[in-house]
Structure formats: structure tokens, C-alpha cells
Amino acid sequence: MRISIFGTGYVGAVTGICFADLGYHIIFTDVDESKLKIINQGKSPVYESGLQTLLEKNRQKISTTQYALEAVLQSDMSFICVGTPSNEDGSIDLQFIKEVSRTLGAAIAKKNSPHIVVVKSTVIPGTIEDVVQPLIKMESQKKANIDFFIVSNPEFLREGKAVYDFFNPDRIIIGTDDSISASIIAQLYSSLNCPKMFTSIRTAEMIKYVNNAFLATKISFANEIGNVCKKAGIDSYEIFKGIGLDSRINPQFFRSGIGFGGSCFPKDIRALIAYSKEKGIRPRILEAVLETNQDQPEKLIFLLKRHIAIKEKKIGILGLAFKPETDDIRESRAITVIHHLLAEGARIVAFDPIAMDNFRKIFPNIEYADIPDVVLQSDAILIITEWPEFENLDYDGKIVIDGRNIKNAQKNAKIYEGVCW
Ligand code: UDX
């Protein structure tokens, strides 16, 4: 089985390299040639734990091309793994999906055997049938009997654990109207032991959104309860441990704190809200999920101000990535917090184990330092990301306002405040 991957970002790179490890031949293509060059040099185009090793192990099975036609002609199926960002109104921006669909259409028209197009990108229900499929057909009109099949196969990969998640999925969703394509895609994953669910294309598209929306709802619920607990002098971590013991409630994803960031949750919830409204439904719970999430970093600043007047003070920021084990800073809570602190005249000294280079691109003028210096130099410390190294610091004599429940800080700091505990 030969697979071409369109888009070599987080999803495409992980999917392609992991498929190579399952034994398939992979051809990567991307409009950004520099990413292909990186792969050709034997380097992973994204930082993801375990991915580099897997790439090195499977190099003979991986090639790249900047030409979509070559990618299609040399493969049995193409995975669409391009980004689906937000428009300004929160709705899904399909520009990359449209571009890649046209490109695929033109290439498939030149092929003499059937081709399967698998959409891995997160797209709002109806996108595949109403946008991707027609565009492929339109571009390939030049040929009478265009032979292609389309499948929705959403990803559920957590950044930082994406390789593990690829090989240990909870389930694989295969959405298509064509039974042969369904069994070919199921066959691709046959060595992965998990339930495989076959659905219509629209259902598969929706499952992905509802999955993320429910997880984000759990977090905002934990934060709302956490805010009440904080006022009441109750540790919300104990509350969620307690309710997690109820067999109807899964204890995971109930960590209160300063809320969710990243490339998926905020944008997917916004897109689902816009889609619901388009269908004439006001999604009140989803709106509240976003609202609670937006307010949560402010709680940290509020607590800080209880202990220090922040103007001209040096505030140490521990953690810039949107979560540990990644250098991804998209919609990181650190961005909101630092904007707020700067607006109030604070000075910033920040540390992150791997996300500082990315952060420098958007905040070139704040100070960056190693962990000991951040702790030494700052008048107060804010913990933004739960990196394990923050557990072993000496917070003795410091004011620490913690957004992520770092136990050691709780023990050592002169003044310690947890956002929801
Ligand atoms: C998420 C989904 O988990 C994944 O299935 C989907 O395919 C893409 O989106 P990811 O964005 O990589 O993955 O991160 P995840 O580990 O889910 O965390 C998202 C955010 O929620 C992070 O900012 C994290 O700090 C926050 N979070 C998570 C909490 O605040 N509390 C929790 O209990 C869990």
C-alpha cells in the first residue's frame, strides 16, 4: 500500500511517519518546500516525542515530492492533513482544504487506476461532501470516468503524545459511503487493536467535533467549579478525584487551572458554535465553555495582585507552551497572561524547556532566562504550564501563583496561591 500525505504539519507528519512504521510506503508533499527538505535531511518537520527516532528507523519507506501529480500517481490513496484555522467570526477557514482538493482533482484526472482520498483534517460536517468532493470532481472533469472514493478518518492525536496515540487509539472512525474503501482503510489499521467504527461521512466529521467539544466542556466545568471551590477554601482537585470515583464519570480531563489552549480545542469549539448557529441553534453550553476559558487566566492576575502591586515589578513566567511536552504556543495561556501583565506595566522574565524560540517570535522584547535565574530574579512567579521540571524547583521565600497545581511550590513558597485550590 502506498500512501501520499498532503500537508506535513503535526497531523500529517505523525500520520505519515507512523504509517511508514506499520510497513507502508509514504510520499509526503507540501506547498512549503522547506518542510520537505527537512524530511529529506532525515529530520522530523515538527517536534513530537518519539517521531525523530521513528523517521530514522523508516527512512527507506519515506520519500517526498513537491509535485502533487507525482504524489498521486505513485500512491493508492492520499491523506489530506492540511490545517483548518478559524475565520475572524470563528467559523472554519477552508482555504487550504479547497486548494488541496483542487490540486488532488487535477492530479487524479491523470491517473488510470482508482484513488482514495482520505480527509484527516478536522472539517465541519458537510465539508467533504459539499466542498472537497465537488472540487475534486470539477478539477477532473477533463476526464470522462474519474475514479475516486472519499473517506473521512478524523485524527484524535494529542500533541506530545501523538505517536503513542497513533499506535494505541481508543477507536478509529471510518466515514464513507463506499464499502470497498471502508474495508481498505480498515485494513490499513488492521494491526492496531481497537474498535473500528464505520459511519457516514458527515457522522465521522461530527464525531471529531463533539469529541473535542465534550473534552473542552469537562475542562471549563472543572474550572467553573474550581473558581467556586477557591472562594470556599476547598481544593477542587480533591473534588474531581472524589467524583471521578463514580463509575459513570471518567476521572480524566478534569484538571482545573487556567484553561485550555492549543491548536484544536479553541478553534474547534468556535467552529462548532458557528456551525450550530448556522443551523439555527444557539449553543449556550459551548458559548459558556469558551467564555469560562477566556476568563480563567485573569484569575491568576487577580490572585497575583492580592500580594503585589505589579507595576514595574519583575514577574517570572514558568511555562510558555500550551501544555507540556510540546513547543507549540498556539493559543497558549501564557500569551494572554503576558499581554495583561505588560499592559499593567510589569516586566517579564520567562522560561520554557522547549518553547522559548517560538515565543520569541511573538514576544521578542521580554526577557528569557534559565529556570534558576527566573526564580532568583523575579518578585513573583506565575506557573502557566505543568512541565515536570517545575516540581523540583526551590520556591523558598517566593510569591508563587500557580495555574497548574505544582505540588512542590505549594510546600516551599513564602506565599502560595493556586488558581482553583
Ligand atoms: C486535543 C485532543 O485531546 C485531541 O484528541 C485532538 O485530536 C486535538 O486536540 P491537544 O490539543 O494536543 O489534543 O491537547 P490536550 O492534551 O487535549 O490538552 C488541551 C488543553 O487542555 C491544554 O491546554 C491542557 O493544558 C488543557 N487541559 C487538559 C486542562 O486544562 N485540563 C485538563 O484536565 C486537560
Side-chain angles (χ1 to χ4, degrees), residues 11 122 155-161 165 171 208 211-212 215 218-219 222-223 237 251-266 268 293 321-324 331-333 384-386 404:
V11 173
T122 301
E155 54 82 18
F156 300 97
L157 307 170
R158 291 166 299 171
E159 274 179 40
K161 297 197 172 74
D165 286 348
R171 46 43 187 113
K208 164 72 189 197
N211 206 99
N212 275 357
L215 291 172
K218 273 186 102 171
I219 299 171
N223 287 336
Y237 270 66
Q252 288 178 52
F253 247 74
F254 259 152
R255 294 193 313 276
S256 55
I258 44 172
F260 56 82
S263 62
C264 290
F265 284 172
D268 290 351
N293 196 53
F322 86 93
K323 67 171 191 179
E331 307 223 18
S332 166
R333 318 287 36 220
I384 306 292
T385 317
E386 62 272 44
R404 298 293 181 188

Side-chain angles (χ1 to χ4, degrees), residues 189-405:
Y189 292 106
S190 60
S191 57
L192 304 182
N193 186 19
C194 71
K196 286 159 190 118
M197 182 174 165
F198 298 92
T199 70
S200 72
I201 292 175
R202 259 164 222 260
T203 303
E205 291 170 315
M206 191 63 161
I207 284 174
K208 164 72 189 197
Y209 275 97
V210 178
N211 206 99
N212 275 357
F214 189 75
L215 291 172
T217 304
K218 273 186 102 171
I219 299 171
S220 278
F221 178 73
N223 287 336
E224 189 168 276
I225 298 295
N227 293 339
V228 178
C229 287
K230 177 72 186 172
K231 291 266 183 200
I234 298 168
D235 180 346
S236 62
Y237 270 66
E238 283 200 67
I239 300 301
F240 286 101
K241 193 175 163 196
I243 70 157
L245 293 171
D246 185 320
S247 60
R248 293 165 300 177
I249 302 175
N250 182 326
Q252 288 178 52
F253 247 74
F254 259 152
R255 294 193 313 276
S256 55
I258 44 172
F260 56 82
S263 62
C264 290
F265 284 172
K267 119 181 133 60
D268 290 351
I269 313 306
R270 287 195 293 263
L272 189 54
I273 289 174
Y275 177 70
S276 309
K277 286 185 179 160
E278 198 193 294
K279 297 283 169 215
I281 305 287
R282 188 176 157 206
R284 276 176 284 199
I285 293 178
L286 295 180
E287 284 176 349
V289 166
L290 276 193
E291 212 177 298
T292 302
N293 196 53
Q294 264 150 23
D295 290 351
Q296 214 52 18
E298 308 288 325
K299 310 275 182 229
L300 211 62
I301 312 277
F302 171 80
L303 291 170
L304 176 66
K305 282 178 170 174
R306 267 197 196 164
H307 301 283
I308 193 170
I310 55 183
K311 192 154 194 255
E312 279 162 28
K313 292 287 186 324
K314 201 164 205 180
I315 309 297
I317 302 290
L318 291 182
L320 300 170
F322 86 93
K323 67 171 191 179
E325 313 304 328
T326 176
D327 65 351
D328 195 340
I329 57 162
R330 283 176 286 179
E331 307 223 18
S332 166
R333 318 287 36 220
I335 298 172
T336 321
V337 168
I338 291 175
H339 272 309
H340 196 131
L341 290 170
L342 291 174
E344 296 217 18
R347 290 175 298 140
I348 306 291
V349 55
F351 170 81
D352 188 283
I354 52 175
M356 289 201 283
D357 286 346
N358 283 341
F359 215 78
R360 262 194 200 99
K361 292 176 200 155
I362 51 169
F363 284 100
N365 297 325
I366 63 170
E367 200 181 318
Y368 296 87
D370 275 343
I371 315 187
D373 289 330
V374 170
V375 176
L376 270 176
Q377 288 176 23
S378 52
D379 296 302
I381 296 165
L382 299 184
I383 302 175
I384 306 292
T385 317
E386 62 272 44
W387 282 100
E389 34 275 78
F390 301 159
E391 276 292 357
N392 303 319
L393 291 181
D394 183 8
Y395 296 98
D396 203 15
K398 288 285 165 185
I399 300 172
V400 178
I401 314 294
D402 184 2
R404 298 293 181 188
N405 206 15

Side-chain angles (χ1 to χ4, degrees), residues 101-161:
S101 303
R102 287 192 201 98
T103 309
L104 272 166
I108 292 170
K110 301 208 169 87
K111 200 180 168 190
N112 292 320
S113 53
H115 200 76
I116 302 177
V117 175
V118 186
V119 181
K120 258 228 179 286
S121 306
T122 301
V123 289
I124 215 76
T127 304
I128 295 179
E129 284 162 310
D130 302 341
V131 179
V132 178
Q133 212 161 12
L135 281 175
I136 295 177
K137 272 197 189 135
M138 196 177 81
E139 280 302 319
S140 48
Q141 284 300 283
K142 296 131 210 167
K143 193 176 160 187
N145 295 318
I146 161 100
D147 204 4
F148 81 96
F149 302 93
I150 197 144
V151 179
S152 167
N153 174 222
E155 54 82 18
F156 300 97
L157 307 170
R158 291 166 299 171
E159 274 179 40
K161 297 197 172 74

